[in-house]
Amino acid sequence: MLARSCVRPMRAFASARNGAVQITKRTASSSSGSTAESPLRLNIAAAAATAVAAGSVGWYYHLYGNSHAMTPAEEGLHPTKYPWVHNQWFKTFDHQALRRGFQVYREVCASCHSLSRVPYRSLVGTILTVDEAKALAEENEYDTEPNDQGEIEKRPGKLSDYLPSPYPNDEAARFANNGALPPDLSLMVKARHGGCDYIFNLLTGYPDEPPAGAQVGAGLNFNPYFPGTGIAMARVLYDGLVEYEDETPATTSQMAKDVTEFLNWAAEPEMDDRKRMGMKVLAITSVLFAMSVWVKRYKWAWLKSRKIVYDPPKEGKTNIRR
């Protein structure tokens, strides 16, 4: 009796184990069947998600990304592109052109427009010498700190001061220009679509008379490159308007080119340093990339060069030799 009672639990345990093995085999077979179908489903789902994302981006760009004016006149004529030398990778500003452009700004543009973000010290070594910059700064007076009586006195300018504005405030500027506010030119190249091309075409794009059919508001001047074609600023550059110290012919296009290049320098005086730093970064990055490729190949050589040999089963055993 005792032996029979011991055998029965062992048979039950064996049958349960065999059943578990069969269930495991069925599960494995079913899972293998499902995994055979899963890549196709995953590819279809990925393609559908990509199509939906691309369609959403395209529809959003169609609604909001491609914003233009209602008419070409409101948008303005697209400026002609010119091969500015300083925009090339290995080129810098023409410092003679910067000096001439600063002269054009002082004698023509400074009566209405300001350069409030340009200090005198930034002109040293690029456009002016130290003595010239100091003499230019001392021509203007700036407020000092209040004294013991609370009065603010005036002092001559220093290299740390910024170029003064032609007007004390915006209201005075509007009053002197029939309600139009002359913008600050410190970042004008960066603030306008087209950059240097826009400014050069704007300065040289004034026709002698508006074309037939063009409607210009009162107090405005026709310029096809300005949005709306009506600009409050009249033509300011004429042949021979300034006399360059290097005896360069002061034509309208020459003055426009020089002052445009100067305004580009005013918007990014660090361009030369940025280009030099970019060349250093590219050189160091190239060396580090080559070293990383070599280290990767060296570290993974044992895995990439290994060879796996399969021996056919012998006597019911499977041997894998590496």
Side-chain angles (χ1 to χ4, degrees), residues 129-208:
T129 62
V130 177
D131 296 334
E132 290 175 340
K134 287 183 178 180
L136 181 63
E138 292 175 355
E139 293 179 1
N140 301 286
E141 293 184 345
Y142 294 84
D143 295 337
T144 60
E145 297 294 332
N147 55 19
D148 297 337
Q149 289 77 26
E151 298 177 353
I152 298 178
E153 300 178 352
K154 296 291 185 178
R155 60 166 178 81
K158 301 182 295 185
L159 291 179
S160 58
D161 294 322
Y162 288 79
L163 297 179
S165 174
Y167 304 104
N169 48 60
D170 292 347
E171 286 72 16
R174 293 181 184 276
F175 179 78
N177 294 275
N178 298 324
L181 178 63
D184 183 83
L185 299 181
S186 301
L187 303 175
M188 187 55 60
V189 173
K190 298 297 182 182
R192 294 294 183 267
H193 178 70
C196 293
D197 297 326
Y198 169 78
I199 295 178
F200 180 83
N201 284 273
L202 182 71
L203 293 176
T204 58
Y206 288 92
D208 295 335

Side-chain angles (χ1 to χ4, degrees), residues 91-143:
K91 298 295 183 179
T92 181
F93 289 110
D94 182 2
H95 291 271
Q96 290 294 332
L98 295 182
R99 189 177 179 90
R100 294 193 300 266
F102 182 63
Q103 181 181 353
V104 174
Y105 167 76
R106 287 188 59 197
E107 298 183 11
V108 181
C109 308
S111 59
C112 297
H113 297 275
S114 61
L115 281 175
S116 60
R117 297 177 181 269
V118 179
Y120 290 103
R121 63 176 179 269
S122 64
L123 303 174
V124 176
T126 304
I127 299 175
L128 304 176
T129 62
V130 177
D131 296 334
E132 290 175 340
K134 287 183 178 180
L136 181 63
E138 292 175 355
E139 293 179 1
N140 301 286
E141 293 184 345
Y142 294 84
D143 295 337

